[in-house]
């Protein structure tokens, strides 16, 4: 067996709120930091997050792509409904305690954190996201691992905050800015899935990336997230991957290309 997956928890949901920011060009080319050192032949990777991490069995899909690309890995997941980086950073929290034990038990190559949407918005990030991202980054680096943040996507129809409506692109700009700011400060890896959603929505509007709730990803959205993560972690294109995640070949090919172009070109 070329890869191993351990799912520690399941459930659903993320909350939201917003503050106005300037528009962002999601088509602009960005040089995303590569793992340094590069991942080993069989890297140990831990995903830490909430429903955005476990929805549609994201980590399983990621492992299936790794296997199909004839790579190896040990992939684990620690996820819990509505969880934030603040709760994961709390050693008194039950799941935060599990994370501390996991960090001590295994020598991780990369630990990938995903924040709750509401905590990553411009109105909250400085107080609710950054301090705990710093704590978690320190814990990971203390045991010799690399920290990565998985930038999530905006709700399909944006956010309604009182009488004010914030569009999808505006919300995504806030999320992108928050994740890029803390990743730059900590010199950590950043997996820009949210940017990939915006690019794909613009280039291939016929592909539905959101589930019926308009918040969580569809199967296609999860596949794009997995392809983007693969491209960033392994520094290798997911194009021509034989694992399609129950998608049509044409759809999978387009999603593979979006991820490859964004990360590697």
């Amino acid at each position: 067996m070329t890869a191993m997956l351990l799912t520690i928890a399941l459930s659903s949901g993320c909350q939201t709120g917003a503050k106005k920011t300037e528009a962002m060009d999601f088509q602009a080319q960005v040089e995303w930091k590569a793992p340094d050192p590069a991942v080993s032949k069989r890297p140990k990777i831990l995903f830490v997050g909430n429903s955005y991490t476990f929805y549609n069995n994201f980590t399983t899909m990621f492992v299936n792509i790794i296997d199909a690309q004839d790579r190896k890995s040990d992939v684990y997941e620690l996820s819990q409904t509505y969880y934030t980086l603040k709760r994961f950073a709390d050693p008194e929290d039950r799941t935060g305690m599990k994370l501390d034990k996991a960090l001590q038990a295994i020598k991780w190559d990369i630990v990938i954190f995903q924040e709750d949407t509401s905590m990553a918005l411009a109105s909250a990030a400085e107080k609710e996201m950054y301090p705990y991202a710093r704590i978690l980054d320190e814990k990971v680096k203390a045991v010799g691992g690399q920290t990565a943040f998985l930038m999530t996507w905006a709700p399909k129809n944006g956010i309604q905050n009182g009488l004010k409506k914030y569009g999808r692109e505006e919300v995504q700009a806030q999320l992108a800015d928050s994740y890029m700011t803390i990743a730059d400060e900590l010199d950590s890896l950043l997996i820009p899935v949210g940017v990939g959603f915006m690019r794909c929505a613009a280039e291939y509007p016929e592909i539905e990336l959101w589930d019926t709730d308009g918040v969580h990803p569809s199967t296609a959205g999860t596949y794009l997230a997995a392809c983007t993560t693969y491209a960033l972690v392994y520094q290798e294109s997911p194009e021509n991957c034989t694992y399609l995640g129950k998608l049509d070949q044409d759809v999978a090919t387009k999603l593979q290309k979006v991820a490859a172009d964004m990360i590697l070109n």
Side-chain angles (χ1 to χ4, degrees), residues 161-190:
N161 186 18
L163 298 177
K164 176 65 177 176
K165 172 74 173 181
Y166 297 88
R168 179 169 70 197
E169 289 76 13
E170 186 175 5
V171 175
Q172 189 62 60
Q174 293 185 45
L175 295 175
D177 182 68
S178 294
Y179 276 98
M180 293 171 76
T181 296
I182 194 62
D184 182 63
E185 176 192 320
L186 300 175
D187 194 27
S188 65
L189 302 172
L190 178 59

Side-chain angles (χ1 to χ4, degrees), residues 177-265:
D177 182 68
S178 294
Y179 276 98
M180 293 171 76
T181 296
I182 194 62
D184 182 63
E185 176 192 320
L186 300 175
D187 194 27
S188 65
L189 302 172
L190 178 59
I191 304 168
V193 176
V195 173
F197 265 57
M198 297 303 104
R199 288 191 176 198
C200 186
E203 296 173 27
Y204 305 112
E206 72 278 10
I207 299 178
E208 180 54 73
L209 298 173
W210 287 265
D211 203 353
T212 54
D213 65 3
V215 176
H216 292 95
S218 66
T219 300
T222 300
Y223 188 82
L224 175 58
C227 285
T228 303
T229 305
Y230 177 83
L232 192 288
V233 170
Y234 286 88
Q235 289 294 292
E236 179 178 280
S237 174
E239 292 175 291
N240 302 313
C241 178
T242 57
Y243 172 70
L244 307 180
K246 297 183 180 180
L247 299 172
D248 292 340
Q249 179 69 65
D250 179 63
V251 171
T253 296
K254 289 174 179 176
L255 296 173
Q256 292 167 7
K257 184 177 187 304
V258 170
D261 287 348
M262 179 171 57
I263 301 299
L264 302 173
N265 291 341

Side-chain angles (χ1 to χ4, degrees), residues 113-126:
F113 294 102
Q114 171 257 308
E115 176 64 292
D116 181 273
T117 300
S118 61
M119 300 298 102
L121 291 169
S123 58
E126 189 70 41

